[in-house]
Amino acid sequence: MPKITINGQLYEAAKGKTIIQAADDVGMEIPRYCYHPDIGIEGSCRMCLVEVKGTPKLLPACTTPLADNMEVRTDTQRVHEAVRYAMEFLLLHHPIDCPVCDQSGECWLQDYYMAHAGHDSRYPLGQKTRRRKAFNLGPLVKLDQERCILCTRCVRFTRNVTKTNEIQVFSRGHNSEIGIFEDRPLNNPYSGNVVDVCPVGALTSADFRFKARVWFLKGTDSVCGGCSTGCNLRIDHSARAAGGGIPGYTATDGKIYRTVGRRNVEVNMSWLCDEGRLSFHTLERWPRLWHANAQGEQKPVSSLLPAIHANFESIRAEYGDGAVAALASPTNTNEALFLMKKYFKGHVDFRLGREVDLYQQQQDDLLRRLDKHPNTHGALHLGLAGELGGLRRLRDLAEKKEIRAMWISFHPQLVGEDAQEIIEDLRRLIEALDYSVVSTTHDFAWTHGADHLLPMAAWAEEKGTYTNYSGRVQITNRAVMPPGDAQPLHVLMAELLNLAGVEVSIDPGAVFEWIAREIPGYAGLDYDTIGSLGAAVSPVPEEVLR
Ligand code: SF4
Ligand code: SF4
């Protein structure tokens, strides 16, 4: 472990690191544009120059490896001047169009100008080089060449991460500019990440630009619900509804505007796929179910739960516990699945069809997986792939009247050729049951046959945990309020258990502590130990995965 001092403070650093990495590890910020921890080092922007004792010239912190007893200074007059000159050089031909720039408020040029430069331009505005303004690089990304500082982060992302090489530096010297070849648009499945890595307003998101000023948004750390990888992300949403329970809440409050990648080296580095990045739009893609109803009549959820419990109890009393079951969704949180298993006395399955065969398969070499559910692994850990045999067998059992009443939890994350078949099976299942309850995020015609229909909170509208394909349990957070009377499934299950005489808190953290007491792989964990980056749990046994 090399010992180094930074600004007179002694640190021990890991071997093989550079100065900037060591400074990042101890929370000391060295300015940078071209350096990004996950795309390879370039050393071109000259923003990270530092003084190293015994070296006559300033050295770039991003390319200089640590040596034992190195003495680094980032706070001298020489360093401050070097950063200021680098800033002046980078801004020489910049259009300074912050008032109409979508990056304004989160632009590194703005931040570093205020912190390190503060100079007046020596270059007359009318003589600045004009370049091409906002044009499409691909379906998700626009480029403004005038704002580009040629840090090459975007080039290195497509070269080193996706290995698709769409973005290049064209021409030389003063004429250098970022672009794509005409016949090769930026349309790889991870293209949106170049917007995240661009430190300035040169690359902007076609989906997000001009929808909201970033200083009006609140960021909530969460994980993607788009597949079983569980990439870490931040949900940027309007701030009013973030606390929940806000009086006068309406459909337009608590809107999600975008998601951006959040670094977790154990899961997704800094990246999201485009499908996952845009998956929040599914919250509004189809009509949401706002209110509970019983055979077409609108009812408050709280008034229906006692009737639902009474119906399940009377069927249990007449036909036995085995006549009542539930079909959960692998989009439900561990907390919801666990309480569902408790209320339905273990008679719970979650398998709908083909996706079960795919749950360990990758979709590509980077992040995407064929299982488009965030919590298949959690459902397996909780033992929900048991003798009930999945949707088709449940349908058969209902048609043979061996099962008479069910709760079906449904989130429309169905993909693939068999989606229609699954919906037909669900419709037949409801038809065959004596009594059925469907909790759903969206209002679909096939659910109307259920005796009771309950609106359910979706991803980003509830707090809980998902366990990803590699066995990492992570917290998914509530960023916005669910519409109308919709509630998280774990709350509905806790209330049913309370009606059954089992005292259960609706606090998901308390439910997780119960999980940790009962499920061996989760022992010793709670929301604090899981933290913002998740925790590894014991893998699902091989025989369950087969
Ligand atoms: S477009 Fe952005 S990321 Fe790409 S080189 Fe220019 S400033 Fe850097
Ligand atoms: S790879 Fe999966 S988890 Fe990651 S962003 Fe894409 S859909 Fe979401």
Side-chain angles (χ1 to χ4, degrees):
M1 300 266 278
K3 288 190 174 54
I4 58 157
T5 60
I6 306 178
N7 298 339
Q9 182 86 35
L10 184 66
Y11 299 104
E12 273 194 350
K15 216 174 167 189
K17 294 211 167 182
T18 60
I19 295 174
I20 207 167
Q21 288 165 341
D24 281 354
D25 288 347
V26 297
M28 182 172 294
E29 206 212 338
I30 295 176
R32 82 287 303 268
Y33 286 118
C34 67
Y35 174 73
H36 184 290
D38 300 325
I39 52 176
I41 289 169
E42 180 86 348
S44 64
C45 75
R46 318 313 280 178
M47 284 290 287
C48 66
L49 293 176
V50 293
E51 259 185 44
V52 176
K53 192 174 176 190
T55 313
K57 284 183 172 178
L58 298 178
L59 296 177
C62 67
T63 56
T64 308
L66 292 178
D68 206 11
N69 299 319
M70 196 178 233
E71 289 179 34
V72 178
R73 292 220 76 99
T74 69
D75 58 354
T76 64
Q77 186 63 20
R78 252 178 105 203
V79 172
H80 290 319
E81 276 178 8
V83 175
R84 202 192 80 73
Y85 292 143
M87 280 297 296
E88 185 169 2
F89 179 70
L90 290 168
L91 285 169
L92 210 58
H93 289 275
H94 190 279
I96 320 288
D97 52 352
C98 307
V100 293
C101 176
D102 209 47
Q103 188 85 359
S104 196
E106 57 179 356
C107 175
W108 297 31
L109 275 174
Q110 285 181 326
D111 293 347
Y112 288 152
Y113 175 83
M114 299 308 288
H116 304 286
H119 62 280
D120 289 331
S121 176
R122 289 187 246 178
Y123 213 83
L125 192 61
Q127 290 176 29
K128 290 193 177 196
T129 303
R130 306 258 61 99
R131 295 189 200 274
R132 210 171 153 199
K133 299 299 277 183
F135 63 100
N136 292 331
L137 291 189
L140 204 57
V141 181
K142 281 187 185 285
L143 169 64
D144 183 316
Q145 285 177 330
E146 281 187 352
R147 295 181 190 148
C148 172
I149 56 169
L150 289 169
C151 71
T152 72
R153 281 183 176 201
C154 55
V155 177
R156 281 174 285 141
F157 176 81
T158 64
R159 186 202 301 151
N160 300 335
V161 181
T162 58
K163 300 183 171 48
T164 46
N165 294 300
E166 294 100 333
I167 305 183
Q168 302 287 340
V169 180
F170 291 84
S171 296
R172 288 184 169 202
H174 176 67
N175 295 321
S176 300
E177 59 190 24
I178 290 295
I180 51 169
F181 297 103
E182 269 179 23
D183 57 346
R184 290 192 56 198
L186 177 67
N187 58 5
N188 72 66
Y190 295 87
S191 68
N193 292 294
V194 298
V195 176
D196 289 355
V197 298
C198 181
V200 302
L203 295 176
T204 50
S205 157
D207 186 63
F208 173 67
R209 52 191 265 125
F210 303 126
K211 299 254 173 75
R213 279 306 200 179
V214 292
W215 53 85
F216 292 126
L217 299 180
K218 179 176 164 50
T220 298
D221 286 353
S222 194
V223 294
C224 178
C227 83
S228 59
T229 301
C231 294
N232 290 213
L233 49 69
R234 189 187 74 222
I235 303 169
D236 285 351
H237 52 92
S238 52
R240 269 189 68 199
I246 290 161
Y249 166 71
T250 69
T252 53
D253 286 332
K255 183 178 163 59
I256 297 175
Y257 283 87
R258 67 173 178 183
T259 58
V260 293
R262 185 165 62 85
R263 190 162 192 252
N264 185 341
V265 293
E266 299 294 336
V267 182
N268 56 308
M269 303 308 281
S270 301
W271 319 127
L272 298 177
C273 76
D274 292 347
E275 201 181 325
R277 180 183 296 276
L278 300 178
S279 63
F280 69 91
H281 287 301
T282 59
L283 298 185
E284 58 207 36
R285 189 168 296 155
W286 305 282
R288 295 295 301 272
L289 184 67
W290 277 56
H291 300 287
N293 74 64
Q295 284 104 24
E297 197 185 330
Q298 194 172 305
K299 301 265 187 190
V301 172
S302 54
S303 77
L304 277 188
L305 288 174
I308 289 171
H309 175 62
N311 287 340
F312 282 135
E313 283 297 280
S314 78
I315 291 172
R316 275 178 180 146
E318 194 172 346
Y319 300 102
D321 287 346
V324 175
L327 183 67
S329 163
T331 59
N332 292 138
T333 61
N334 285 318
E335 291 72 5
L337 298 177
F338 181 76
L339 294 186
M340 190 174 234
K341 192 176 172 192
K342 289 282 170 201
Y343 182 77
F344 288 95
K345 304 183 180 184
H347 295 267
V348 183
D349 207 301
F350 73 99
R351 293 163 292 180
L352 291 178
R354 196 176 60 100
E355 89 288 350
V356 180
D357 305 329
L358 307 175
Y359 55 55
Q360 283 305 95
Q361 289 182 29
Q362 288 181 254
Q363 189 171 344
D364 59 33
D365 292 341
L366 204 48
L367 296 171
R368 295 183 302 162
R369 302 195 71 87
L370 287 173
D371 176 9
K372 297 297 173 191
H373 302 95
N375 201 28
T376 301
H377 218 82
L380 293 169
H381 265 140
L382 293 170
L384 303 191
E387 61 197 30
L388 288 175
L391 170 60
R392 192 145 297 172
R393 180 146 187 277
L394 282 163
R395 190 204 68 195
D396 291 344
L397 292 172
E399 286 174 346
K400 286 188 217 148
K401 293 294 175 196
E402 287 177 36
I403 286 182
R404 293 185 169 257
M406 277 189 71
W407 181 300
I408 298 161
S409 162
F410 183 76
H411 181 282
Q413 208 144 309
L414 292 180
V415 287
E417 297 134 21
D418 57 354
Q420 275 316 313
E421 264 174 59
I422 289 171
I423 286 171
E424 181 54 20
D425 281 335
L426 286 163
R427 203 192 51 71
R428 277 178 58 185
L429 172 63
I430 290 171
E431 210 172 78
L433 290 164
D434 294 354
Y435 174 64
S436 59
V437 180
V438 173
S439 59
T440 172
T441 52
H442 293 73
D443 187 8
F444 291 114
W446 67 265
T447 62
H448 295 176
D451 296 291
H452 287 136
L453 200 52
L454 297 176
M456 188 169 69
W459 171 84
E461 297 169 351
E462 62 179 343
K463 183 167 182 169
T465 55
Y466 299 141
T467 308
N468 82 350
Y469 77 94
S470 71
R472 190 171 192 82
V473 61
Q474 307 189 97
I475 295 174
T476 176
N477 266 312
R478 168 180 276 185
V480 294
M481 293 297 289
D485 286 345
Q487 291 189 25
L489 183 65
H490 84 267
V491 172
L492 299 172
M493 288 299 135
E495 286 173 4
L496 283 180
L497 282 163
N498 286 330
L499 288 166
V502 183
E503 210 174 296
V504 183
S505 165
I506 61 166
D507 170 12
V511 178
F512 188 84
E513 282 168 25
W514 191 5
I515 295 176
R517 285 195 298 276
E518 290 206 1
I519 306 296
Y522 293 66
L525 291 177
D526 59 24
Y527 278 12
D528 288 337
T529 48
I530 294 172
S532 63
L533 296 177
V537 293
S538 333
V540 169
E542 270 301 310
E543 61 271 18
V544 179
L545 292 174
R546 262 184 258 119

